[in-house]
Amino acid sequence: EHLTKKSMWMYGGDGWAYDIGYGGLDHVLASGADVNVLVVDTEVYSNTGGQASKSTPEGAIAQFAATGKSVKKKDLAAIAMSYGYVYVAQIAQGADYNQCIKAFTEAESYHGPSLVICYAPCINHGINMGKSQHEEKRAVEAGYWQLYRYNPTLKEEGKNPFTLDSKPATASFQDFIMSETRYKSLKKLFPEMADELFAKSEEEAKERYEYYKGLAEEK
């Protein structure tokens, strides 16, 4: 008789995945265990040591949120892909529902560790959460968040394991970030620093897309 494959999923936010729980997460992925991990990435917490939310004391928020603490974010997906045997996907349901379903289906069927990172707007971005899927779509269209899948099974078949699901940006990167409270606050308090960081972020986003495009075109 054929038994149904056991499905094991663990999930958490970016504060856990990129920071306080990173060691454990990396251990699970590196072990090669057949487990699926879903990271809900609000793009608020990652590697900052705190977040502007109701779970963080106001005093702590004042130390980093208002002053625009500049910290490089780990590229969790790139770290996972470097192992070569971890299924990896970046998704945003509101931007591409079909790509989202493909990622979950592929992760579930893959016999090995899987990491799915999902862009999820936070209420502290100043967003109407009833329109969160629209915000996800805007993030992808502006090139702020890219969609892709890395499937080691394709590599075993002699095919390119990396698929870029995002298209080139069709909307303004600057308009997108200025629609969020965190960036508007930084611009108001420290306009020169904000302009410098925003321009750098946009350039890095474009470079990231070109890098992913190159990966997708490899023979």
Side-chain angles (χ1 to χ4, degrees):
E1 294 184 8
H2 295 286
L3 299 178
T4 302
K5 174 192 171 188
K6 288 186 177 180
S7 176
M8 181 178 292
W9 282 85
M10 56 189 295
Y11 62 92
D14 44 12
W16 161 74
Y18 291 85
D19 198 343
I20 55 177
Y22 170 72
L25 172 59
D26 182 62
H27 176 73
V28 169
L29 297 178
S31 72
D34 189 4
V35 61
N36 306 299
V37 180
L38 172 65
V39 175
V40 180
D41 194 343
T42 63
E43 283 273 300
V44 171
Y45 186 106
S46 308
N47 287 65
T48 62
Q51 60 178 327
S53 76
K54 62 184 179 182
S55 62
T56 306
E58 289 294 330
I61 294 175
Q63 292 180 23
F64 66 89
T67 56
K69 182 177 179 181
S70 178
V71 178
K72 278 287 185 182
K73 178 184 177 182
K74 287 188 187 79
D75 192 336
L76 189 60
I79 294 171
M81 285 189 287
S82 71
Y83 289 120
Y85 53 81
V86 179
Y87 177 89
V88 182
Q90 274 203 177
I91 66 174
Q93 182 177 344
D96 191 332
Y97 183 75
N98 289 329
Q99 188 259 358
C100 181
I101 294 298
K102 283 181 183 178
F104 279 111
T105 301
E106 291 171 352
E108 175 68 18
S109 62
Y110 179 65
H111 293 280
S114 301
L115 174 68
V116 179
I117 304 176
C118 178
Y119 180 67
C122 176
I123 193 171
N124 286 287
H125 293 174
I127 297 163
N128 179 343
M129 294 308 289
K131 299 179 180 178
S132 61
Q133 291 196 1
H134 175 65
E135 186 70 7
E136 293 169 15
K137 183 178 181 180
R138 292 184 65 229
V140 172
E141 290 177 343
Y144 182 88
W145 184 264
Q146 276 111 20
L147 310 177
Y148 58 81
R149 290 166 291 130
Y150 175 85
N151 191 345
T153 301
L154 296 177
K155 184 172 61 174
E156 296 169 3
E157 298 172 356
K159 302 175 183 177
N160 187 340
F162 188 88
T163 301
L164 177 60
D165 295 307
S166 281
K167 301 292 190 295
T170 58
S172 168
F173 185 93
Q174 298 293 334
D175 286 349
F176 169 74
I177 60 176
M178 285 305 295
S179 68
E180 297 193 349
T181 302
R182 51 184 171 159
Y183 296 126
K184 280 191 283 194
S185 297
L186 181 61
K187 174 75 172 178
K188 182 177 180 180
L189 291 170
F190 304 98
E192 291 184 4
M193 181 178 72
D195 287 341
E196 181 181 345
L197 288 174
F198 295 168
K200 185 177 180 181
S201 295
E202 182 175 10
E203 186 60 32
E204 289 179 349
K206 291 177 181 177
E207 291 175 356
R208 231 177 8 253
Y209 180 83
E210 291 302 318
Y211 172 70
Y212 293 147
K213 184 179 177 182
L215 288 181
E217 293 172 350
E218 287 182 0
K219 300 297 183 181

